[in-house]
Structures are given as C-alpha cells and as structure tokens.
Amino acid sequence: MKLKLLTAVLGLSIAGLAAGGASAQTLQTVKDRGALKCGVNTGLPGFASQNDQGEWQGLDVDYCKAIAAAVFGDPSKVQYSPLSAVQRFPALQNSEVDVLARNTTWTMDRDTTLGLTFAGVNYYDGQGFMVKNELNVNSALELSGATVCVQSGTTTELNLADFFRTNNMEYNPVVIESQSDVNSAYDSGRCDVLTTDASGLAASRLEMGNPDDHSILPEIVSKEPLGPAVRQGDTEWLNVVKWTHYALLNAEELGVTQANVEEMLDSENPEIRRLLGKDKNFGESIGVSQDWVVNIIKAVGNYGEIFERNIGVDTPLKIQRGQNALWTKGGLQYGMPIR
C-alpha cells in the first residue's frame, strides 16, 4: 500500500513538473505565433480604448506595443483582447492572452492565489469618488446613506465596504459588471456616487452627458498599484515584460526619447550605452535582440512620453505625474539598473 501511495505521489509530482515546464514557453509561443496576445480594458480612455479608426490607444496599450517591439522589433504585432474585470484573470490563467495590461491592481491575494505574477507598477493610483455637483457634497465623509455605483470583480468593491465601515457610515451599493454600464447607471441618476480608481474617474467623467456637472472628491481611500501581469512559473517571459517596464523608466531617467534615440546610440555615457545595447548584449539574457530597447523607444518613447501622450496634463484627462514621476523628481517610479 505504501509503495502504491508513493508511486501515485511521484506520478503527480512528475505530472506537475511537466505541466510547469510546458507552461514556461510563452516567449517561444509568442515568437512562433508572430504576435503578442495582450489583454486590455474594454474601453477606458487614456489607458485602453479604440479611436474612430478602430485603433487601440492608451498607456496600457503602449505597454503592449513596447513588449511587441522588444520581442519582434515591431509594435504592430499585437492582438488585443478587450476584457471585463470578471473576464481578465481567467483569460490569463487559460492562456487566452500572454500578458494582462489592464489597469489591474497588484494585491497579495492576486499575487499568491490566482497563479499570476505582476511585472511592475506602471501607474500608482488610488480609489476615489465622483458626485454630481447638485448634491453639494465636498467630502467623501458626507456620503453616509448614499447609493454608490461600483464595478463587480474589482478591488473597488472591498475598498468601498472598508471605507464606509471604518467611518461608521451606511451606503447602498449598485454592483454592475461593465464599467460603461456603471457609468451609464450613475449618469442616469440610478446612483448618487460613482467610485473607482482616481484615473478611472477622470476618464469616466469625460463620458458623462455634461462632464462639468460632476466633481471628483478629494479623498483617496486606497492604494492601487496598477501594472501588467503574467502567469506564474514562466520566469523567461516575466523577465521580458518586467525589463520592458524598467527599460521605459531608465530611458526617461537617462533622457533617451523617441526623437533622439538614434543620436543616443553614439553617446559615451556608460549607462546609456548599456541601455541601448552598445556595451554588452543584455537582450540575449532575456531571449530578445541586442537592440531591444532601441526598438522599444522608437516604437513608443520612454515612460514619460507614454504618460504625457495618453493621460498627461495636455490630454483631456489632465493628470499630473504626482506619484508617477521618477524617483529623481519626487515620485515613486524607479527603473532597476540595466548592468
């Protein structure tokens, strides 16, 4: 009996190892397919949405393009999969997408129980509240008894409950799966309050019938570190996504831009030379070409350029860098060194 049990246990262990080994092939799968499958939001202006020509654009979309540029040298080799909050994790777990770049919060539960690994934080955010000006509400602490529209399948639901419970206030949640339906419910008067990440509120406000009739309250009630995620157990692929993120940050810190990257190839600065593959082939260690960072910057620019182009102060969202400034400018964004 003991021998049979040991044999069974060994069989399960070997099967598990085989499955893990089989799953650790994402980079080769992507190369063989000839395109990256990227999971994005169904439509969040500034992060992932389609323009009038049906082209995807936004901060998260540019991360998809950056990864494709790193792997193929071509940012157009991306197949976008718009996913709701409920759909996003199963899609990644089931290999329907290679990477999830969908304004998703990095939490312990997601990092340890869902089979996911986060590759970095591409936007530091926090949950807030939006109300109609006619309510004359100036603080989230005045919302006791309010009806609140919230998207299901998000950390937003838990944060909402925590905030009201902590402050001994009552509220009536209206939980809806699609963010566009959440926005419509709020705009039509079904709810007094709309809650989501502050960046999402800025985007949602633009979609209201009369944006000027709505205000975002000053309180930020949670930490929402948003970033791309991949499946656990595939270190090779994680390295590609993670170091693409760090390359974007390092490029900004070193002043390498979409406009000057060719000129920077002749730089004598040792950090720039390592970043751009002139001294040592760092791309080889993650399974991509020596000029992977050059291809990334040519395709989408550095992190600061991505930020300002999609959600910065000169866009309709008018978001300040704030916590998303580089560490050298008082922010939290910090690229691990390429050396």
Side-chain angles (χ1 to χ4, degrees):
M1 180 64 73
K2 289 183 179 179
L3 180 58
K4 289 182 179 180
L5 180 59
L6 178 59
T7 302
V9 171
L10 286 173
L12 288 172
S13 299
I14 292 170
L17 287 172
S23 69
Q25 301 292 329
T26 306
L27 178 57
Q28 191 59 52
T29 298
V30 171
K31 288 180 176 180
D32 291 344
R33 185 192 304 126
L36 170 75
K37 290 185 177 180
C38 203
V40 296
N41 199 295
T42 54
L44 182 63
F47 288 84
S49 62
Q50 290 179 286
N51 60 22
D52 293 339
Q53 289 74 47
E55 300 166 330
W56 284 95
Q57 58 188 12
L59 186 146
D60 285 333
V61 169
D62 278 348
Y63 263 73
C64 299
K65 293 178 179 178
I67 297 166
V71 175
F72 299 109
D74 185 347
S76 70
K77 292 188 174 183
V78 183
Q79 297 172 3
Y80 297 99
S81 295
L83 302 168
S84 71
V86 173
Q87 295 170 331
R88 56 184 165 172
F89 299 129
L92 182 58
Q93 292 162 340
N94 298 330
S95 300
E96 295 170 27
V97 296
D98 306 308
V99 61
L100 184 66
R102 192 205 171 281
N103 56 293
T104 296
T105 302
W106 185 346
T107 70
M108 182 175 181
D109 183 60
R110 291 172 176 177
D111 204 35
T112 60
T113 67
L114 296 185
L116 313 181
T117 297
F118 285 81
V121 179
N122 68 359
Y123 190 86
Y124 288 95
D125 210 343
Q127 185 171 330
F129 300 93
M130 183 164 66
V131 298
K132 297 178 179 66
N133 295 336
E134 63 187 27
L135 295 181
N136 294 316
V137 171
N138 298 307
S139 168
L141 295 174
E142 301 172 17
L143 295 177
S144 186
T147 300
V148 185
C149 277
V150 60
Q151 187 180 18
S152 62
T154 64
T155 57
T156 313
E157 287 184 87
L158 176 61
N159 296 334
L160 176 64
D162 287 349
F163 175 76
F164 276 84
R165 182 168 60 248
T166 299
N167 290 286
N168 297 312
M169 300 190 305
E170 300 291 330
Y171 76 105
N172 300 302
V174 176
V175 183
I176 303 171
E177 180 176 340
S178 164
Q179 186 62 51
S180 61
D181 290 341
V182 172
N183 294 347
S184 296
Y186 165 77
D187 199 27
S188 68
R190 187 177 170 189
C191 314
D192 304 311
V193 183
L194 174 63
T195 187
T196 188
D197 296 342
S199 61
L201 291 177
S204 295
R205 182 174 175 273
L206 297 177
E207 297 182 336
M208 299 296 120
N210 293 294
D212 291 340
D213 292 343
H214 306 266
S215 295
I216 298 172
L217 299 178
E219 288 86 358
I220 297 296
V221 301
S222 71
K223 294 184 293 185
E224 305 297 328
L226 311 179
V230 298
R231 287 178 292 281
Q232 282 183 7
D234 193 340
T235 303
E236 180 185 49
W237 181 238
L238 171 63
N239 281 338
V240 172
V241 178
K242 176 172 62 177
W243 285 101
T244 294
H245 172 56
Y246 292 148
L248 291 167
L249 292 171
N250 283 314
E252 181 183 6
E253 183 177 340
L254 293 169
V256 180
T257 69
Q258 197 170 28
N260 71 15
V261 63
E262 287 284 358
E263 176 187 343
M264 286 292 194
L265 288 170
D266 296 323
S267 173
E268 295 301 320
N269 182 313
E271 288 188 89
I272 293 176
R273 291 183 64 82
R274 286 193 293 268
L275 176 73
L276 301 182
K278 299 299 287 185
D279 289 346
K280 192 175 178 180
N281 185 356
F282 287 95
E284 183 179 22
S285 66
I286 59 171
V288 297
S289 65
Q290 187 167 348
D291 59 352
W292 63 290
V293 178
V294 176
N295 293 332
I296 290 172
I297 304 306
K298 283 183 177 179
V300 297
N302 61 41
Y303 177 82
E305 291 178 287
I306 291 174
F307 187 102
E308 296 301 338
R309 178 170 60 247
N310 292 296
I311 60 177
V313 293
D314 293 327
T315 70
L317 272 69
K318 302 183 184 303
I319 296 176
Q320 301 280 346
R321 283 293 292 268
Q323 296 178 99
N324 290 290
L326 293 178
W327 67 289
T328 53
K329 297 183 178 179
L332 298 177
Q333 291 292 1
Y334 188 116
M336 301 302 117
I338 295 178
R339 63 170 182 258

